[in-house]
């Protein structure tokens, strides 16, 4: 690679320190014309070791290779990749080697200094003026240490700990369910001593309910229920709907007028759609990551996958089993949430079949379809995150984030559906919106780093989408978006702002939407000015901030309306805040980055922090799964205090 011819001398010397020892650091120097390689023999009591290489110098770019004892040794830039396992390196490299892969129980560690730095993120060309000192600049001081890897007992402990941690949530849920059952039984026994007047009032209320609205409150199992169709099932004509939904003071009874059975079926579509999406999404993902792992194992190229190599513990064909195991929490807690929702669903069905007036006329209408969809999404986040961590890289990043967007979106939809059961988005439009978001995310990763045109278009879409959604929320879905929208917006501005400057009709909604738009416009402006490199995290931040803003608004309005937060949801809110804070701390401990070269990414690698098996990102997996579970419980239990309040007394906000 020298621009001009170079004079050289050939010197042959005997290598004194050819064999590396366990836990003994060895310092040496290498250059493009002087590669180095050493021998290591496995002791009888070791089955696996980690080769750790460090250098204080970023450049020159180098390659670390582990090769079987064969001749010739591939120690040149153009052939070092022909045999064994190899990594490019700037300041750090780490390769886990297992005895079973080497029949002779020994191997060579080869160090090659590349004649250019392009593979490590540097320049490819050598400047003319650097020619005189070029050979001197390409030397690199290195330190290699071979340390024992973890034993099989650590694998067993890590697996058992993972299961025990999350099965403890199952025990806790059983305990809470038992306490509720005991309290319910106690109330049932006490109810036997009620006066006959109370019984007559209760029975009269049930009879009135069954006679006046019997058709609206039949069981979901009724075979005569019609499938959801394109027409609206409200008995009122369109003009009445407009009058009802644009009243200054809305109550839940105004927005829960549709047939409960058909609305419930509408929300069950969320569950069936996400289940279908999950199957079709997951199968090709699993096939692809298996192919990636096979390519890594066959070629030995460890630059394909962006692991934390200082804490990557192999098992079978998997290179980083710990990163996969740590996603177990999402699957187990997602399944537990489904069981909790199923229990509530069964109890609610029994109450409806018993014509219980409290189930039919009191509290928030119980529609569990979105909750089931959230549980499936949490489980799939664990499955797809595990798939991503089989071989994390630039090509499959969306596997890890797709269901995060869906979880955030479903939580916002559920929060809105709670007090707007008749006017929430359909499953088809919701999932279509998620698909658009995922497409934008992929485009952002591809074009968002350098192309200003993408950020201009994305910011415009972001702001317009925020305004359109705000309009729909403010007018309760009665502001149609069509070709006449601009004329109607101009008339609203003229009548409300210029003709007579009046107070907004829905002040609480207006405050929320103003704050929400300011937050979203700030995100759009930030993206336009700074163009963050990690577009996927930027997009996820938009979703999470909107969800937190809406949740905070909901809780504040709930307290303003003199409603209570019962002990269980209060505990879940506190637990959610604490666990999310801890989880985010570990999330921001960047251990690798596929936005950089593999060698640059390895500079961020760190040792394990838990049991000598899990790293910071694994702890993030554990804590984020727990935090999401508690977040779901908040949404599930937040309005339990309203189960004894009539719907015409529950405000809408």
């Amino acid at each position: 690679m020298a621009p001009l011819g170079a004079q050289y001398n050939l010197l042959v010397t005997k290598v004194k320190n050819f064999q590396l020892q366990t836990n003994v650091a060895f310092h040496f120097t290498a250059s493009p014309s002087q590669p180095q390689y050493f021998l290591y023999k496995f002791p009888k009591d070791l089955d696996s070791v980690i080769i750790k290489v460090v250098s204080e110098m970023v450049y020159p770019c180098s390659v670390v290779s582990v090769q079987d004892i064969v001749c010739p040794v591939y120690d040149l830039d153009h052939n070092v990749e022909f045999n064994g396992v190899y990594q490019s390196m700037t300041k750090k490299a780490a390769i886990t080697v297992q005895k079973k892969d080497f029949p002779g129980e020994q191997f060579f560690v080869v160090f090659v200094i590349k004649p250019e730095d392009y593979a490590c993120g540097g320049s490819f060309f050598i400047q003319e003026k650097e020619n005189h000192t070029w050979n001197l600049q390409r030397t690199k001081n290195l330190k290699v240490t071979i340390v024992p890897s973890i034993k099989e007992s650590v694998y067993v402990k890590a697996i058992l700990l993972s299961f025990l941690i999350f099965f403890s949530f199952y025990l806790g849920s059983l305990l809470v369910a038992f306490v509720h059952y005991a309290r319910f039984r106690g109330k049932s026994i006490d109810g036997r001593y009620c006066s006959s007047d109370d019984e007559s009032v209760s029975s009269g209320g049930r009879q009135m309910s069954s006679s006046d609205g019997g058709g609206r409150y039949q069981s979901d199992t009724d075979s005569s229920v019609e499938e959801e169709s394109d027409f609206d099932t409200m008995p009122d004509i369109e003009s009445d709907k407009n009058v009802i939904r644009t009243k200054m003071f809305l109550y839940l009874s105004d927005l829960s007028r549709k047939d409960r059975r058909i609305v419930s079926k509408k929300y069950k579509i969320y569950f069936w759609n996400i289940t279908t999406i999950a199957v079709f999404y997951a199968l090709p993902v699993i096939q692809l990551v298996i192919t990636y792992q096979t390519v890594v194992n066959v070629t030995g190229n460890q630059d394909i996958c962006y692991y934390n190599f200082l804490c990557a513990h192999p098992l079978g064909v998997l290179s980083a089993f710990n990163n996969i195991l740590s996603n177990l929490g999402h699957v187990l807690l997602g399944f537990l949430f489904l069981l909790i929702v199923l229990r509530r669903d069964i109890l609610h069905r029994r109450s409806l079949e018993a014509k219980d007036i409290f189930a039919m006329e009191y509290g928030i209408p119980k529609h569990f379809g979105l909750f089931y969809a959230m549980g499936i999404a949490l489980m799939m986040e664990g499955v797809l995150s595990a798939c991503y961590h089989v071989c994390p890289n630039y090509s499959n990043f969306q596997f890890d984030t797709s269901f995060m967007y869906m979880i955030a979106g479903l939580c916002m939809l559920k929060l809105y559906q709670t007090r707007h059961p008749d006017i929430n988005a359909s499953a088809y439009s919701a999932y279509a919106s998620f698909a658009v978001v995922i497409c934008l995310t992929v485009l952002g990763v591809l074009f968002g780093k350098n192309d200003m045109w993408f950020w201009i278009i994305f910011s415009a879409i972001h702001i317009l989408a925020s305004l359109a959604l705000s309009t729909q929320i403010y007018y309760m879905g009665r502001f149609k978006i069509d070709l006449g929208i601009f004329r109607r917006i101009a008339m609203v501005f003229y009548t409300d702002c210029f003709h007579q400057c009046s107070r907004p009709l829905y002040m609480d909604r207006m405050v929320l939407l103003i704050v929400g738009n300011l937050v979203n416009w700030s995100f759009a402006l930030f993206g336009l000015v700074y163009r963050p490199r990690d577009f996927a995290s930027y997009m996820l931040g938009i979703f999470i901030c909107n969800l937190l803003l809406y949740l905070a608004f909901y809780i504040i309005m709930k307290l303003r309306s003199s409603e209570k937060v019962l002990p269980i949801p209060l505990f879940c809110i506190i637990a959610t805040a604490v666990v999310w804070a801890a989880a985010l701390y570990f999330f921001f401990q960047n251990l690798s980055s596929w936005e950089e070269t593999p060698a640059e990414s390895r500079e961020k690698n760190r040792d394990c922090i838990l049991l000598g098996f899990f790293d910071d990102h694994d702890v993030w997996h554990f804590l984020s799964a727990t935090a999401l579970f508690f977040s779901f419980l908040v949404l599930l239990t937040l309005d339990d205090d309203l189960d004894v309040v009539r719907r015409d007394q529950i405000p809408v906000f």
Side-chain angles (χ1 to χ4, degrees):
M1 292 295 292
L4 302 173
Q7 297 292 327
Y8 68 92
N9 293 321
L10 178 63
L11 179 64
V12 180
T13 57
K14 185 176 181 179
V15 178
K16 296 180 181 179
N17 300 298
F18 183 62
Q19 184 169 338
L20 299 175
Q21 304 297 323
T22 308
N23 288 322
V24 178
F26 182 70
H27 297 261
F28 62 96
T29 302
S31 68
S33 59
Q34 188 181 13
Q36 301 274 14
Y37 66 92
F38 305 96
L39 174 69
Y40 179 79
K41 294 183 179 180
F42 277 100
K44 291 183 178 181
D45 59 338
L46 285 183
D47 294 321
S48 179
V49 295
I50 303 176
I51 304 168
K52 297 182 179 181
V53 188
V54 294
S55 174
E56 295 180 358
M57 308 165 63
V58 176
Y59 300 123
C61 180
S62 54
V63 176
V64 181
S65 174
V66 176
Q67 303 177 17
D68 203 357
I69 307 296
V70 293
C71 287
V73 176
Y74 295 97
D75 62 347
L76 298 175
D77 177 49
H78 68 272
N79 65 13
V80 69
E81 300 173 359
F82 290 177
N83 187 25
V85 178
Y86 61 92
Q87 295 179 1
S88 58
M89 171 190 167
T90 51
K91 299 178 73 173
K92 284 184 183 179
I95 300 177
T96 300
V97 183
Q98 296 177 289
K99 184 189 290 186
K100 65 181 180 64
D101 296 330
F102 296 93
E105 299 184 357
Q106 56 185 354
F107 55 82
F108 285 139
V109 187
V110 183
F111 301 89
V112 174
I113 307 300
K114 297 182 76 67
E116 39 74 26
D117 298 322
Y118 181 75
C120 294
S123 174
F124 185 82
F125 298 102
I126 306 298
Q127 301 295 328
E128 285 281 346
K129 61 183 180 181
E130 296 178 358
N131 183 56
H132 299 294
T133 58
W134 179 74
N135 282 324
L136 296 177
Q137 290 177 343
R138 302 301 296 177
T139 59
K140 188 162 190 170
N141 297 320
L142 298 153
K143 182 181 77 171
V144 57
T145 310
I146 299 182
V147 299
S149 184
I150 60 173
K151 297 183 178 181
E152 291 182 1
S153 59
V154 179
Y155 280 84
V156 176
K157 290 178 183 177
I159 294 171
L160 289 177
L161 177 67
S162 301
F163 277 96
L164 287 174
I165 287 174
F166 295 111
F167 276 132
S168 66
F169 285 88
Y170 282 75
L171 294 176
S173 300
L174 283 174
L175 180 62
V176 172
F178 177 76
V179 171
H180 274 217
Y181 175 76
R183 290 178 61 186
F184 176 76
R185 291 283 295 176
K187 288 181 180 179
S188 299
I189 294 172
D190 293 341
R192 295 175 183 174
Y193 299 100
C194 292
S195 66
S196 59
D197 291 339
D198 291 338
E199 290 177 2
S200 63
V201 170
S202 176
S203 61
R206 281 195 286 268
Q207 290 171 1
M208 180 179 66
S209 171
S210 60
S211 62
D212 294 345
R216 288 168 52 197
Y217 299 110
Q218 294 177 16
S219 169
D220 281 347
T221 57
D222 191 343
S223 60
S224 65
V225 176
E226 296 181 6
E227 295 293 336
E228 183 188 15
S229 58
D230 292 335
F231 64 84
D232 199 314
T233 56
M234 274 185 62
D236 308 290
I237 61 175
E238 184 73 10
S239 60
D240 286 341
K241 188 189 299 184
N242 290 328
V243 171
I244 290 168
R245 294 182 186 175
T246 53
K247 292 194 302 184
M248 181 175 292
F249 299 106
L250 275 171
Y251 292 93
L252 187 58
S253 56
D254 297 321
L255 295 180
S256 57
R257 299 166 60 84
K258 293 182 180 179
D259 191 316
R260 189 196 63 79
R261 298 166 300 155
I262 294 181
V263 174
S264 185
K265 277 185 170 291
K266 171 186 174 182
Y267 287 121
K268 283 180 181 176
I269 297 175
Y270 275 95
F271 167 72
W272 292 113
N273 276 11
I274 200 169
T275 304
T276 307
I277 291 169
V279 172
F280 279 91
Y281 197 97
L283 290 177
V285 166
I286 293 171
Q287 289 177 311
L288 181 63
V289 295
I290 289 174
T291 301
Y292 270 121
Q293 184 67 72
T294 303
V295 170
V296 171
N297 294 342
V298 171
T299 65
N301 182 4
Q302 296 203 348
D303 284 354
I304 295 176
C305 305
Y306 287 73
Y307 304 118
N308 174 19
F309 287 91
L310 288 174
C311 188
H313 302 297
L315 182 67
V317 298
L318 301 173
S319 299
F321 173 70
N322 53 301
N323 293 152
I324 297 169
L325 176 64
S326 59
N327 285 285
L328 182 69
H330 294 88
V331 179
L332 292 180
L333 292 182
F335 185 69
L336 175 59
F337 183 73
L338 288 176
L339 293 179
I340 294 172
V341 173
L342 179 62
R343 174 183 173 273
R344 286 201 165 211
D345 195 0
I346 292 172
L347 292 176
H348 181 62
R349 285 169 181 266
R350 289 176 180 173
S351 299
L352 290 176
E353 290 169 357
K355 306 295 183 184
D356 187 345
I357 190 173
F358 282 98
M360 294 189 286
E361 296 287 351
Y362 285 70
I364 301 294
K366 303 294 192 295
H367 303 296
F368 295 98
L370 270 168
F371 283 127
Y372 285 122
M374 288 159 58
I376 294 294
L378 181 55
M379 294 178 68
M380 287 308 302
E381 171 57 29
V383 172
L384 291 175
S385 178
C387 290
Y388 165 74
H389 284 284
V390 169
C391 182
N393 60 54
Y394 177 84
S395 302
N396 61 9
F397 71 93
Q398 67 271 24
F399 302 163
D400 194 28
T401 56
S402 296
F403 273 80
M404 290 184 185
Y405 303 134
M406 297 181 76
I407 287 172
L410 289 172
C411 287
M412 283 188 278
L413 286 170
K414 182 59 201 177
L415 205 53
Y416 187 76
Q417 178 228 10
T418 302
R419 308 216 180 202
H420 310 79
D422 285 359
I423 60 174
N424 207 5
S426 69
Y428 307 114
S429 58
Y431 289 125
S433 302
F434 297 153
V436 171
V437 169
I438 293 171
C439 289
L440 284 173
T441 304
V442 174
L443 292 174
V445 172
L446 295 176
F447 303 110
K449 293 180 181 177
N450 303 311
D451 296 320
M452 189 66 183
W453 63 266
F454 170 80
W455 284 102
I456 294 173
I457 295 173
F458 173 77
S459 299
I461 293 173
H462 188 180
I463 291 173
L464 290 175
S466 300
L467 290 172
L469 187 61
S470 300
T471 304
Q472 288 294 304
I473 292 174
Y474 187 76
Y475 289 104
M476 294 289 181
R478 306 317 306 152
F479 200 91
K480 294 182 179 179
I481 299 178
D482 52 24
L483 293 177
I485 187 172
F486 299 105
R487 182 176 59 85
R488 290 195 297 275
I489 290 174
M491 290 184 63
V492 169
F493 266 97
Y494 175 74
T495 55
D496 290 358
C497 299
F498 297 103
H499 185 65
Q500 57 176 17
C501 190
S502 58
R503 181 178 181 272
L505 187 61
Y506 314 110
M507 180 57 73
D508 292 330
R509 261 182 269 167
M510 178 61 74
V511 171
L512 167 68
L513 295 173
I514 288 175
V515 175
N517 275 275
L518 288 176
V519 169
N520 281 280
W521 295 357
S522 299
F523 266 105
L525 184 63
F526 174 82
L528 196 60
V529 174
Y530 293 99
R531 286 180 281 175
R533 296 186 65 184
D534 189 354
F535 187 84
S537 297
Y538 166 78
M539 197 74 160
L540 188 60
I542 294 174
F543 269 81
I544 291 176
C545 281
N546 279 278
L547 174 59
L548 292 177
L549 178 68
Y550 190 24
L551 180 60
F553 168 81
Y554 189 93
I555 294 174
I556 291 170
M557 292 301 300
K558 182 178 177 67
L559 297 176
R560 272 192 63 190
S561 303
S562 300
E563 297 176 10
K564 299 177 182 178
V565 179
L566 297 179
I568 288 182
L570 181 61
F571 168 78
C572 292
I573 290 171
I574 296 172
T576 299
V578 172
V579 179
W580 268 125
L584 290 173
Y585 169 79
F586 288 100
F587 175 74
F588 289 113
Q589 306 299 312
N590 292 325
L591 304 180
S592 62
S593 174
W594 46 258
E595 295 179 330
E596 300 172 336
T597 64
E600 291 172 324
S601 172
R602 270 186 280 275
E603 292 180 23
K604 301 178 179 181
N605 289 179
R606 296 185 193 171
D607 291 321
C608 305
I609 62 169
L610 180 62
L611 294 179
F613 189 84
F614 297 113
D615 61 17
D616 297 78
H617 198 73
D618 294 323
V619 177
W620 149 255
H621 286 159
F622 287 134
L623 293 177
S624 63
T626 306
L628 283 170
F629 176 70
F630 279 126
S631 302
F632 288 4
L633 290 182
V634 170
L635 298 180
L636 183 65
T637 62
L638 186 58
D639 288 314
D640 283 356
D641 61 300
L642 301 178
D643 286 347
V644 293
V645 180
R646 289 187 60 88
R647 289 175 188 167
D648 57 7
Q649 298 174 358
I650 300 175
V652 171
F653 40 76

